[in-house]
Amino acid sequence: EDKPVGTVHFALDGPGGTRHLHRVFPYGRDRVKLLAAYIAHWMVYRELTRAAEGEADLLGGRWQPPGKDMQGK
């Protein structure tokens, strides 16, 4: 089974454990690559600055799929 265009998996390993996010963006390849790079950098920034201390949402509510929690459930 093929993955839809725009499917991106993010993972971050840190003191709080390993976190995984899965997103499917409805854009073309170039925009998805740019957005994925931005989100990956944002996740690292949030981890390093501890801005998300005690918060399970690494993206601060950004890019959340409608009707799903941040773990994709």
Side-chain angles (χ1 to χ4, degrees):
E1 166 179 326
D2 290 329
K3 300 285 184 192
V5 173
T7 299
V8 182
H9 290 266
F10 303 93
L12 182 66
D13 188 41
T18 301
R19 299 178 190 145
H20 171 259
L21 299 173
H22 167 248
R23 295 290 178 270
V24 178
F25 298 108
Y27 308 116
R29 184 173 308 277
D30 288 339
R31 181 180 267 182
V32 169
K33 285 170 51 175
L34 183 64
L35 187 56
Y38 176 81
I39 292 172
H41 282 94
W42 178 255
M43 289 172 63
V44 171
Y45 169 78
R46 297 270 299 194
E47 182 68 24
L48 291 175
T49 61
R50 303 270 185 215
E53 185 85 34
E55 183 180 323
D57 180 5
L58 285 174
L59 300 179
R62 294 170 178 84
W63 306 291
Q64 184 170 354
K68 293 187 177 185
D69 64 20
M70 294 309 286
Q71 284 72 39
K73 297 177 184 171

